[in-house]
């Protein structure tokens, strides 16, 4: 901690500032727009990230990389996403391609993959197929084992980096009957294959991230080594993928945060420069409230994503639930806030070459932010997949809460930003949480702590009341989940509604934990003082709040939002300077 | 807190199998006699969601924390019973 003008400096945010400094101001909007319209891969922007060795942040330190804490890597991806989501997705894909190896591969495999990443080789992840989409257990790409050799034949489709990638981790069916132990993950290194064994499929035209390499590949008797190239023990492929997805789904939230960072800047700048009826648009009450409600949505997403990402290190056994909740909630709520900002921007959200009063090629970036972000709720497990996953966990979630449990020490560490994170232990990732969700268990003591704080400081009474209401809602929900029958494979609609509420409650409880964990360290910050951001964020989840207190919190949020946007700082709960001024 | 049954000392694999049959018969709403202990659980109409729930029942009854992957690695009632018995005995 340093006693500067803004309380303590969070290390991931310092890393984000350093990356911003290295990258310098974003390049001309005209070039980005031209690449996008022409569906050209953003070669120069990706090369700039490679020049900063960003991909080393996808590689654990023990293998020579710089991935020590996931929150730091997430912050870096967010910074890139805030500049251009297409670039973030095009580059960040390498992390997805590698993650199975970090989770289940041998040290030798990990070192080999790390060396390729350090040499800037793009890595891709071959999971989905044309006929089966997210239904991985029905995948048809086949591995035939023949002594020391395995021959892979089949197709993977809608694969990011499939054409540019030099290494692909491929999920393959090993036994004809398939089933949960019938798949393995193989490392397919293209420069070791003869021509024709790996055939990239044509680029697939898309609505957003149009420049990204979204394609696929066909393998024809592609030979890999039965042991050296198999990630994990035989038959563990699906399990490895499911555990790896817990990490990637959590990190996907940083793409949404970056998109919202970008969208908020465009909206605030427009609303502050636009005069209507003799008043600045941003000063009209309805417009001001739209902006601050979107900001409150964003801060809630940030709080949830932050806690979820830190839980990777401290409570990995619960990530099955937390990652599904965060991957469902953050992209969907970001889509919602971008849609509201689109309404505020009006025609400016629809024009390619107009930004406020400025007219120049490609400056109208809001439409691209919204188009690019559409993919985030689709990939790496879409919204239905994540909600279904939560539904499947109902019995364990309810059981955990019937049983009661001791406070989880890892949650306190996750919620305290000044606490150092222990190294991530991938072996501790579980397919289901065996003891429920500790952030929900912790909500009752958290509400009690807030009540104690409010007894000493009446300014905290409104936020304490909102947290009480959140607790009541959570108890009601857990009661409803507990009496659900064990559902058949056709999940009924009401179960999806319960899953949405469960994700909402986990998000709210995470925000409460984060506020309580840092309110002392952040006491000089107007967002944190009197629980302003927490009150506004929880109200956005539908938790009842006192109108007068809510108005006061929104007034504070409005001031901070403008200060952050015009002070070239990240739209965030925390302090981070940006180098964001674009040139036309 | 749940506490496991205290009488786990003299349990046999057959006891564990009988308990599994009872649980599964209740879930399938079928007579226990109709539950084949030698076929894959999937053929008994048990999906992965039920397996998660069964893991919870195993913990309640036997005090064992098991992952749903046990049903992947021991996919019949008999196989699962032998495995769980081994865990209980140790």
């Amino acid at each position: 901690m340093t006693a500067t003008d803004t309380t303590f400096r969070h290390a991931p945010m310092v890393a984000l500032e350093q990356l911003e400094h290295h990258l310098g101001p974003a390049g001309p909007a005209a070039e980005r727009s031209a690449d996008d319209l022409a569906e050209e891969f953003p070669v120069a922007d990706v090369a700039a990230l490679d020049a900063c060795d960003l991909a080393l942040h996808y590689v654990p330190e023990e293998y020579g990389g710089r991935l020590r804490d996931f929150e730091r890597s997430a912050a870096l991806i967010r910074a890139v996403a805030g500049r251009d989501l297409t670039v973030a997705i095009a580059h960040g894909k390498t992390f997805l391609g590698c993650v199975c190896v970090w989770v289940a591969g041998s040290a030798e495999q990990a070192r080999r993959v790390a060396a390729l990443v350090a040499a800037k080789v793009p890595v891709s992840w071959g999971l989905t197929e044309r006929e089966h989409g997210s239904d991985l257990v029905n995948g048809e790409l086949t591995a035939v084992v023949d002594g020391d050799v395995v021959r892979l034949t089949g197709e993977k489709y809608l694969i990011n980096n499939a054409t540019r990638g030099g290494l692909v981790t491929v999920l393959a069916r090993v036994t004809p009957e398939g089933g949960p132990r019938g798949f393995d993950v193989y490392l397919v290194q293209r420069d070791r294959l003869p021509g024709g064994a790996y055939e990239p499929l044509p680029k697939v035209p898309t609505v957003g991230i149009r420049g990204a390499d979204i394609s696929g590949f066909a393998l024809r008797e592609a030979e890999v080594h039965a042991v050296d190239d198999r990630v994990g023990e035989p038959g563990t492929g699906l399990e490895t993928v499911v555990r790896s997805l817990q990490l990637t789904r959590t990190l996907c939230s940083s793409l949404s945060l970056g998109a919202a960072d970008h969208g908020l800047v465009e909206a605030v700048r427009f609303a502050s420069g636009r005069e209507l009826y003799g008043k600045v648009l941003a000063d009209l009450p309805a417009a001001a409230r739209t902006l601050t409600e979107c900001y409150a949505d964003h801060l809630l997403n940030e709080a949830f994503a932050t806690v979820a990402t830190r839980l990777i290190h401290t409570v990995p056994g619960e990530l099955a639930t937390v990652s599904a909740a965060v991957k469902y909630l953050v992209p969907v709520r970001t889509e919602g806030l971008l849609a509201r900002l689109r309404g505020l921007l009006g025609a400016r959200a629809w024009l390619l070459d107009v930004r406020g009063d400025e007219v120049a090629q490609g400056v109208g970036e809001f439409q691209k932010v919204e188009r690019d972000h559409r993919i985030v709720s689709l990939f790496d497990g879409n919204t239905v997949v994540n909600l279904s996953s939560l539904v499947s966990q109902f019995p364990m979630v309810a059981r955990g809460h019937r049983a009661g449990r001791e406070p989880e020490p890892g949650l306190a560490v996750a919620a305290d930003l000044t606490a150092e994170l222990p190294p991530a232990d991938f072996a501790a990732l579980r397919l289901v949480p065996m003891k429920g969700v500790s952030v929900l268990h912790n909500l009752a003591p958290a509400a009690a702590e807030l009540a104690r704080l409010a007894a000493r400081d009446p300014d905290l009474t409104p936020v304490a009341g909102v947290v009480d209401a959140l607790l009541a809602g959570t108890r009601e929900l857990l009661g409803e989940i507990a009496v659900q029958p064990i559902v058949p494979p056709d999940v009924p609609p009401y179960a999806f509604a319960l899953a949405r509420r469960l994700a909402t409650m986990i998000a709210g409880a995470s925000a409460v934990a984060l506020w309580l964990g840092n309110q002392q360290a952040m006491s000089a910050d107007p967002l944190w003082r009197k629980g302003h951001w927490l009150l506004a964020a929880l109200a956005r989840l539908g938790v009842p709040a006192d109108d007068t207190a809510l108005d006061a919190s929104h007034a504070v949020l409005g001031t901070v939002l403008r200060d952050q946007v015009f002070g070239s700082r990240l739209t965030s709960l925390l302090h981070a300077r940006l180098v964001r001024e674009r040139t036309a | 807190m749940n506490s496991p049954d205290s009488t786990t000392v003299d349990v046999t694999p057959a006891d564990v199998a009988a308990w599994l049959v009872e649980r599964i018969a209740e879930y399938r709403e079928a007579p226990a006699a109709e539950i084949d202990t030698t076929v894959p659980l999937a053929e008994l109409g048990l999906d992965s969601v039920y397996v998660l729930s069964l893991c919870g029942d195993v913990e309640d009854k036997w005090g064992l924390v098991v992952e749903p992957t046990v049903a992947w690695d021991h996919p019949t009632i008999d196989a699962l019973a032998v495995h769980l018995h081994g865990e209980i005995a140790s």
Side-chain angles (χ1 to χ4, degrees):
Chain A
M1 261 195 250
T2 53
T4 60
D5 53 331
T6 53
T7 65
F8 95 108
R9 299 304 322 279
H10 191 38
M13 288 301 178
V14 175
L16 182 152
E17 287 182 353
Q18 286 166 349
L19 178 64
E20 278 278 315
H21 179 74
H22 280 302
L23 291 174
E31 282 178 22
R32 270 194 306 282
S33 173
D35 274 357
D36 187 52
L37 293 177
E39 303 181 322
E40 288 291 337
F41 190 82
V43 176
D45 285 332
V46 167
L49 299 181
D50 280 340
C52 297
D53 281 323
L54 179 65
L56 288 182
H57 291 273
Y58 309 154
V59 178
E61 273 190 337
E62 59 197 293
Y63 307 120
R66 296 181 191 157
L67 172 54
R68 182 189 318 134
D69 96 62
F70 275 86
E71 203 193 349
R72 179 180 309 212
S73 296
L76 300 179
I77 295 168
R78 173 179 178 177
V80 179
R83 291 163 168 253
D84 190 321
L85 202 51
T86 302
V87 175
I89 290 168
H91 196 273
K93 178 66 191 185
T94 287
F95 174 74
L96 274 65
C98 296
V99 65
C100 281
V101 181
W102 313 147
V103 167
S106 66
E108 193 185 350
Q109 286 171 335
R111 279 192 291 271
R112 177 178 144 203
V113 172
L116 290 170
V117 174
K120 329 280 193 214
V121 173
V123 185
S124 177
W125 203 9
L127 296 182
T128 55
E129 298 185 6
R130 201 183 291 263
E131 297 301 323
H132 304 293
S134 305
D135 186 13
L136 300 180
V137 78
N138 280 308
E140 292 179 57
L141 188 145
T142 300
V144 177
V145 183
D146 179 6
D148 282 347
V149 168
V150 173
R151 291 185 188 86
L152 302 170
T153 300
E155 186 190 278
K156 295 286 178 181
Y157 175 71
L158 295 186
I159 306 298
N160 190 354
N161 264 349
T163 300
R164 301 178 65 88
L167 175 74
V168 187
T169 46
V170 179
L171 181 69
R173 175 183 291 251
V174 185
T175 61
E177 65 274 18
R181 283 284 183 240
F183 290 80
D184 279 323
V185 172
Y186 288 100
L187 294 173
V188 176
Q189 200 170 326
R190 285 173 67 184
D191 61 7
R192 294 184 179 182
L193 294 175
Y198 182 108
E199 197 76 52
L201 300 176
K203 176 175 166 57
V204 179
T206 50
V207 168
I209 60 163
R210 297 170 61 166
D213 169 18
I214 305 295
S215 52
F217 59 84
L219 297 178
R220 291 188 191 84
E221 305 234 317
E223 289 191 1
V224 296
H225 194 276
V227 178
D228 296 351
D229 293 325
R230 190 193 61 233
V231 179
E233 293 301 308
T236 57
L238 277 174
E239 189 182 347
T240 297
V241 166
V242 170
R243 288 161 63 212
S244 300
L245 283 167
Q246 294 177 13
L247 300 174
T248 59
R249 285 176 181 166
T250 305
L251 289 192
C252 276
S253 53
S254 51
L255 298 171
S256 287
L257 294 180
D261 289 330
H262 195 161
L264 281 165
V265 168
E266 296 302 311
V268 169
R269 287 181 58 113
F270 171 72
S272 304
R274 182 82 166 160
E275 281 197 27
L276 290 169
Y277 320 114
K279 284 185 92 173
V280 174
L281 175 58
D283 292 336
L284 295 175
R289 192 60 166 246
T290 297
L291 283 173
T292 54
E293 285 184 352
C294 290
Y295 185 45
D297 284 334
H298 176 56
L299 297 180
L300 175 90
N301 288 345
E302 183 185 38
F304 186 20
T306 301
V307 172
T309 305
R310 292 174 65 85
L311 286 171
I312 293 172
H313 294 264
T314 64
V315 196
E318 295 182 12
L319 209 61
T321 321
V322 172
S323 66
V326 82
K327 177 63 177 64
Y328 154 67
L329 197 95
V330 171
V332 163
R333 291 183 65 83
T334 300
E335 284 175 3
L337 82 84
L338 290 173
R340 291 188 73 198
L341 295 178
R342 182 213 304 148
L344 189 77
L345 282 154
R348 294 298 188 284
W350 198 61
L351 298 172
L352 301 184
D353 300 337
V354 182
R355 185 197 195 203
D357 296 329
E358 182 187 355
V359 181
Q361 189 190 340
V363 291
E365 292 200 328
F366 186 88
Q367 48 78 31
K368 181 173 178 309
V369 173
E370 209 182 0
R371 274 190 293 113
D372 282 357
H373 183 263
R374 290 267 297 277
I375 187 69
V376 182
S377 66
L378 287 177
F379 62 22
D380 232 46
N382 63 33
T383 293
V384 174
V385 166
N386 286 297
L387 290 174
S388 299
S389 169
L390 289 175
V391 170
S392 76
Q393 297 176 42
F394 282 173
M396 299 307 279
V397 170
R399 230 187 120 264
H401 290 270
R402 269 200 305 278
R405 67 188 276 200
E406 296 297 308
E408 167 59 59
L411 176 62
V413 176
D416 176 0
L417 297 178
T418 64
E420 180 127 8
L421 292 172
D425 176 9
F426 302 131
L429 296 170
R430 292 285 168 266
L431 298 188
V432 288
M434 306 307 283
K435 292 186 287 186
V437 186
S438 55
V439 75
L440 294 181
H441 280 283
N442 192 58
L443 197 51
E449 190 182 342
L450 250 164
R452 275 195 301 278
L453 292 172
R456 288 204 303 268
D457 178 0
D459 283 342
L460 292 173
T461 303
V463 73
V466 173
V467 173
D468 266 337
L470 179 72
L471 174 62
T474 300
R475 285 184 167 146
E476 186 185 2
L477 172 70
L478 289 172
E480 286 179 58
I481 284 177
V483 297
Q484 291 305 304
I486 300 162
V487 291
D490 292 328
V491 181
Y494 64 81
F496 277 103
L498 288 175
R500 286 192 188 92
R501 281 170 60 198
L502 178 62
T504 302
M505 295 300 167
I506 295 173
S510 300
V512 173
L514 190 73
W515 187 83
L516 277 172
N518 302 281
Q519 51 99 9
Q520 279 182 322
M522 298 299 294
S523 61
D525 189 308
L527 270 186
W528 290 73
R529 231 171 12 229
K530 303 182 188 179
H532 282 310
W533 74 260
L534 182 62
L535 181 78
L538 295 181
R540 292 293 302 153
L541 292 179
V543 186
D546 173 73
D547 280 339
T548 310
L550 192 56
D551 286 347
S553 292
H554 274 282
V556 171
L557 261 62
T559 304
V560 173
L561 175 61
R562 275 191 229 194
D563 285 351
Q564 288 179 341
V565 168
F566 291 106
S568 283
R569 283 186 283 134
L570 191 68
T571 43
S572 171
L573 293 167
L574 300 166
H575 176 85
R577 283 181 304 274
L578 299 176
V579 188
R580 191 174 255 174
E581 264 320 292
R582 292 183 179 76
T583 51
Chain B
M1 295 292 285
N2 293 289
S3 56
D5 289 10
S6 54
T7 54
T8 53
V9 181
D10 302 321
V11 171
T12 67
D15 295 334
V16 181
W19 176 79
L20 285 170
V21 166
E22 197 184 310
R23 302 299 315 145
I24 290 164
E26 185 183 311
Y27 172 65
R28 294 297 301 154
E29 298 176 350
E34 285 179 16
I35 304 293
D36 188 337
T37 60
T38 64
V39 302
L41 296 172
E43 286 180 30
L44 297 174
L46 304 183
D47 57 48
S48 58
V49 176
Y50 178 70
V51 169
L52 298 187
S53 171
L54 190 63
C55 290
D57 291 341
V58 167
E59 187 180 350
D60 286 346
K61 171 74 178 174
W62 307 103
L64 283 181
V65 177
V66 290
E67 287 243 36
T69 48
V70 294
W72 299 0
D73 296 325
H74 311 281
T76 67
I77 290 176
D78 283 344
L80 194 54
V82 168
H83 172 76
L84 292 177
H85 176 261
E87 295 281 306
I88 293 163
S90 66

Coordinates of all heavy atoms in Angstrom, one line a residue, chain A residues 180-181 238-239 392-393 395-396 399 403-405 429-432 434 486-489, chain B residues 1-2 27 47 49-50 52-53 55-57 59-60 65-70 72-73:
Chain A
P180 N -18.3 -40.8 -20.9 CA -17.5 -39.9 -20.1 C -16.0 -40.3 -20.1 O -15.2 -39.4 -19.8 CB -18.1 -39.8 -18.7 CG -19.1 -41.0 -18.6 CD -19.5 -41.3 -20.0
R181 N -15.7 -41.6 -20.2 CA -14.3 -42.0 -20.2 C -13.8 -42.4 -21.6 O -12.8 -43.1 -21.7 CB -14.1 -43.2 -19.2 CG -14.1 -42.8 -17.8 CD -12.8 -42.1 -17.4 NE -12.7 -41.8 -16.0 CZ -12.6 -40.6 -15.5 NH1 -12.5 -39.6 -16.3 NH2 -12.5 -40.4 -14.2
L238 N -12.6 -35.7 -21.4 CA -13.7 -34.8 -21.1 C -13.6 -34.2 -19.7 O -13.9 -33.0 -19.5 CB -15.0 -35.7 -21.1 CG -15.6 -35.9 -22.5 CD1 -16.8 -36.9 -22.4 CD2 -16.1 -34.6 -23.1
E239 N -13.1 -34.9 -18.7 CA -12.9 -34.4 -17.4 C -11.9 -33.2 -17.4 O -12.2 -32.2 -16.8 CB -12.4 -35.5 -16.5 CG -12.4 -35.1 -15.0 CD -11.8 -36.3 -14.2 OE1 -11.7 -37.4 -14.7 OE2 -11.5 -36.0 -13.0
S392 N -27.8 -28.6 -12.9 CA -27.3 -29.9 -12.6 C -26.7 -29.9 -11.2 O -26.5 -31.0 -10.6 CB -26.3 -30.4 -13.6 OG -25.1 -29.8 -13.5
Q393 N -26.3 -28.8 -10.7 CA -25.6 -28.7 -9.4 C -26.6 -28.4 -8.3 O -26.2 -28.3 -7.1 CB -24.5 -27.6 -9.5 CG -23.4 -27.9 -10.5 CD -22.4 -26.8 -10.6 OE1 -22.0 -26.3 -9.6 NE2 -22.0 -26.5 -11.8
P395 N -28.7 -30.2 -6.6 CA -28.7 -31.1 -5.5 C -27.6 -30.8 -4.5 O -27.7 -30.8 -3.3 CB -28.6 -32.5 -6.1 CG -29.2 -32.3 -7.5 CD -28.8 -30.9 -7.9
M396 N -26.4 -30.6 -5.1 CA -25.2 -30.4 -4.3 C -25.2 -29.0 -3.6 O -24.8 -28.9 -2.4 CB -23.9 -30.5 -5.1 CG -23.7 -31.9 -5.7 SD -23.8 -33.2 -4.6 CE -22.2 -33.2 -3.9
R399 N -27.8 -29.3 -0.8 CA -27.2 -30.2 0.2 C -26.2 -29.4 1.1 O -26.2 -29.5 2.3 CB -26.5 -31.4 -0.4 CG -26.9 -32.7 0.1 CD -26.1 -33.8 -0.5 NE -25.4 -34.4 0.6 CZ -24.2 -34.1 1.0 NH1 -23.5 -33.2 0.4 NH2 -23.6 -34.8 1.9
A403 N -26.5 -28.7 5.2 CA -25.5 -29.3 6.1 C -24.9 -28.2 7.0 O -24.5 -28.4 8.1 CB -24.4 -30.0 5.3
G404 N -24.8 -27.0 6.5 CA -24.1 -25.9 7.2 C -22.7 -26.2 7.1 O -22.2 -27.3 6.8
R405 N -21.8 -25.1 7.4 CA -20.4 -25.4 7.3 C -19.7 -24.2 8.0 O -20.2 -23.2 8.2 CB -19.9 -25.5 5.9 CG -20.0 -24.3 5.1 CD -19.7 -24.6 3.6 NE -18.3 -24.5 3.3 CZ -17.8 -24.4 2.1 NH1 -18.7 -24.2 1.1 NH2 -16.6 -24.3 1.8
L429 N -9.4 -28.4 -8.7 CA -10.7 -28.1 -9.4 C -11.5 -29.4 -9.4 O -11.1 -30.5 -9.7 CB -10.4 -27.7 -10.9 CG -9.6 -26.5 -11.1 CD1 -9.2 -26.3 -12.6 CD2 -10.4 -25.2 -10.7
R430 N -12.8 -29.2 -9.1 CA -13.8 -30.3 -9.0 C -14.9 -30.1 -10.0 O -15.2 -29.0 -10.4 CB -14.4 -30.3 -7.6 CG -13.4 -30.7 -6.5 CD -13.1 -32.2 -6.5 NE -11.9 -32.5 -5.7 CZ -10.7 -32.6 -6.1 NH1 -10.4 -32.4 -7.4 NH2 -9.7 -33.0 -5.3
L431 N -15.4 -31.3 -10.4 CA -16.6 -31.2 -11.3 C -17.8 -30.6 -10.7 O -18.6 -30.0 -11.4 CB -16.9 -32.6 -11.9 CG -15.7 -33.3 -12.7 CD1 -16.2 -34.5 -13.3 CD2 -15.1 -32.3 -13.7
V432 N -18.0 -30.8 -9.4 CA -19.1 -30.2 -8.7 C -18.6 -29.8 -7.3 O -17.7 -30.3 -6.8 CB -20.3 -31.2 -8.5 CG1 -21.0 -31.5 -9.8 CG2 -19.8 -32.5 -7.8
M434 N -18.6 -29.8 -3.6 CA -19.1 -30.9 -2.7 C -19.7 -30.2 -1.5 O -20.5 -30.9 -0.8 CB -17.9 -31.8 -2.3 CG -17.1 -32.4 -3.5 SD -18.2 -33.2 -4.7 CE -18.5 -34.8 -3.8
I486 N -34.9 -34.1 -8.5 CA -33.7 -34.3 -9.3 C -34.2 -34.3 -10.8 O -35.0 -35.2 -11.2 CB -33.0 -35.6 -9.0 CG1 -32.6 -35.5 -7.5 CG2 -31.8 -35.8 -9.8 CD1 -32.3 -36.9 -6.9
V487 N -33.8 -33.3 -11.5 CA -34.4 -33.1 -12.8 C -34.0 -34.1 -13.9 O -32.9 -34.6 -13.9 CB -34.1 -31.7 -13.3 CG1 -34.8 -30.7 -12.4 CG2 -32.6 -31.4 -13.4
P488 N -35.0 -34.4 -14.7 CA -34.6 -35.3 -15.9 C -33.8 -34.5 -16.9 O -33.7 -33.2 -16.7 CB -36.0 -35.6 -16.5 CG -36.9 -34.5 -16.0 CD -36.4 -34.0 -14.7
P489 N -33.2 -35.1 -17.9 CA -32.4 -34.4 -18.9 C -33.1 -33.2 -19.5 O -32.4 -32.2 -19.9 CB -32.0 -35.5 -19.9 CG -32.2 -36.7 -19.2 CD -33.3 -36.5 -18.2
Chain B
M1 N -24.9 -30.7 11.1 CA -24.0 -31.4 10.2 C -24.5 -32.9 10.1 O -25.0 -33.4 11.1 CB -22.6 -31.4 10.8 CG -21.9 -30.1 10.8 SD -21.5 -29.4 9.2 CE -20.1 -30.4 8.8
N2 N -24.2 -33.5 9.0 CA -24.6 -34.9 8.9 C -23.4 -35.7 9.5 O -22.3 -35.3 9.5 CB -24.7 -35.3 7.4 CG -25.9 -34.6 6.8 OD1 -27.0 -35.0 7.1 ND2 -25.6 -33.6 6.0
Y27 N -35.4 -43.8 -7.0 CA -35.3 -42.7 -8.0 C -36.1 -43.1 -9.2 O -36.8 -42.3 -9.8 CB -33.9 -42.4 -8.3 CG -33.7 -41.4 -9.4 CD1 -34.1 -40.1 -9.4 CD2 -33.1 -41.9 -10.6 CE1 -34.0 -39.3 -10.4 CE2 -32.9 -41.0 -11.7 CZ -33.3 -39.7 -11.6 OH -33.2 -38.9 -12.7
D47 N -28.9 -40.5 -15.4 CA -28.1 -39.5 -16.1 C -27.1 -38.9 -15.1 O -27.0 -39.2 -13.9 CB -29.0 -38.4 -16.7 CG -29.8 -37.7 -15.6 OD1 -29.3 -37.4 -14.6 OD2 -31.0 -37.6 -15.8
V49 N -26.8 -36.0 -13.9 CA -27.4 -35.2 -12.8 C -27.7 -36.1 -11.6 O -27.5 -35.8 -10.4 CB -28.6 -34.4 -13.3 CG1 -29.2 -33.7 -12.1 CG2 -28.2 -33.5 -14.4
Y50 N -28.3 -37.3 -11.9 CA -28.6 -38.2 -10.8 C -27.3 -38.7 -10.1 O -27.3 -38.8 -8.9 CB -29.4 -39.4 -11.2 CG -29.7 -40.3 -10.1 CD1 -30.6 -39.9 -9.0 CD2 -29.0 -41.5 -9.9 CE1 -30.8 -40.7 -7.9 CE2 -29.2 -42.3 -8.8 CZ -30.1 -41.9 -7.8 OH -30.2 -42.6 -6.7
L52 N -24.7 -37.0 -9.6 CA -24.3 -36.0 -8.7 C -25.0 -36.1 -7.4 O -24.5 -36.0 -6.3 CB -24.6 -34.6 -9.2 CG -23.9 -34.2 -10.5 CD1 -24.1 -32.7 -10.8 CD2 -22.4 -34.4 -10.4
S53 N -26.3 -36.3 -7.5 CA -27.2 -36.5 -6.3 C -26.8 -37.7 -5.5 O -26.7 -37.7 -4.3 CB -28.6 -36.5 -6.7 OG -29.4 -36.9 -5.6
C55 N -23.9 -39.0 -5.3 CA -22.6 -38.6 -4.6 C -22.9 -38.0 -3.2 O -22.3 -38.3 -2.2 CB -21.7 -37.7 -5.4 SG -21.0 -38.4 -6.8
G56 N -23.9 -37.2 -3.2 CA -24.4 -36.6 -2.0 C -24.9 -37.6 -1.0 O -24.6 -37.6 0.2
D57 N -25.7 -38.5 -1.5 CA -26.3 -39.6 -0.7 C -25.1 -40.5 -0.1 O -25.2 -40.9 1.0 CB -27.2 -40.5 -1.5 CG -28.5 -39.7 -1.9 OD1 -28.8 -38.7 -1.2 OD2 -29.2 -40.1 -2.8
E59 N -22.2 -39.5 0.6 CA -21.5 -38.8 1.7 C -22.4 -38.9 3.0 O -21.9 -39.1 4.1 CB -21.2 -37.4 1.3 CG -20.4 -36.7 2.4 CD -20.1 -35.2 2.1 OE1 -20.3 -34.8 1.0 OE2 -19.6 -34.5 3.1
D60 N -23.7 -38.7 2.8 CA -24.6 -38.7 4.0 C -24.6 -40.1 4.6 O -24.6 -40.2 5.9 CB -26.0 -38.4 3.5 CG -26.2 -36.9 3.2 OD1 -25.4 -36.1 3.5 OD2 -27.3 -36.6 2.5
V65 N -16.5 -38.6 0.8 CA -16.6 -37.6 -0.2 C -16.2 -38.2 -1.5 O -15.0 -38.5 -1.7 CB -15.8 -36.3 0.2 CG1 -15.9 -35.3 -0.9 CG2 -16.3 -35.8 1.5
V66 N -17.1 -38.3 -2.5 CA -16.7 -38.9 -3.8 C -17.1 -37.9 -4.9 O -18.1 -37.2 -4.8 CB -17.4 -40.3 -4.0 CG1 -16.8 -41.3 -3.1 CG2 -18.9 -40.2 -3.8
E67 N -16.3 -38.0 -5.9 CA -16.6 -37.2 -7.1 C -17.5 -38.0 -8.1 O -17.4 -39.2 -8.1 CB -15.3 -36.8 -7.8 CG -14.5 -35.8 -7.1 CD -14.3 -34.5 -7.9 OE1 -15.3 -34.1 -8.6 OE2 -13.3 -33.9 -7.8
P68 N -18.3 -37.3 -8.9 CA -19.1 -38.0 -9.8 C -18.3 -38.9 -10.8 O -18.9 -39.8 -11.4 CB -19.9 -36.9 -10.6 CG -19.2 -35.7 -10.3 CD -18.5 -35.9 -9.0
T69 N -17.0 -38.6 -10.9 CA -16.2 -39.5 -11.8 C -16.1 -40.9 -11.3 O -15.8 -41.8 -12.1 CB -14.8 -38.9 -11.9 OG1 -14.3 -38.6 -10.6 CG2 -14.8 -37.7 -12.7
V70 N -16.5 -41.2 -10.0 CA -16.4 -42.6 -9.6 C -17.4 -43.4 -10.4 O -17.2 -44.6 -10.7 CB -16.8 -42.8 -8.1 CG1 -15.7 -42.2 -7.2 CG2 -18.2 -42.4 -7.7
W72 N -18.1 -42.9 -13.5 CA -17.5 -43.1 -14.8 C -16.5 -44.2 -14.7 O -16.4 -45.0 -15.7 CB -16.7 -41.8 -15.2 CG -17.5 -40.6 -15.3 CD1 -18.9 -40.5 -15.1 CD2 -17.1 -39.3 -15.7 NE1 -19.3 -39.2 -15.3 CE2 -18.2 -38.4 -15.7 CE3 -15.8 -38.8 -16.1 CZ2 -18.1 -37.1 -16.0 CZ3 -15.8 -37.4 -16.4 CH2 -16.9 -36.6 -16.4
D73 N -15.7 -44.3 -13.6 CA -14.7 -45.3 -13.5 C -15.2 -46.7 -13.1 O -14.6 -47.7 -13.3 CB -13.6 -44.8 -12.6 CG -12.9 -43.6 -13.1 OD1 -12.7 -43.5 -14.3 OD2 -12.6 -42.7 -12.3

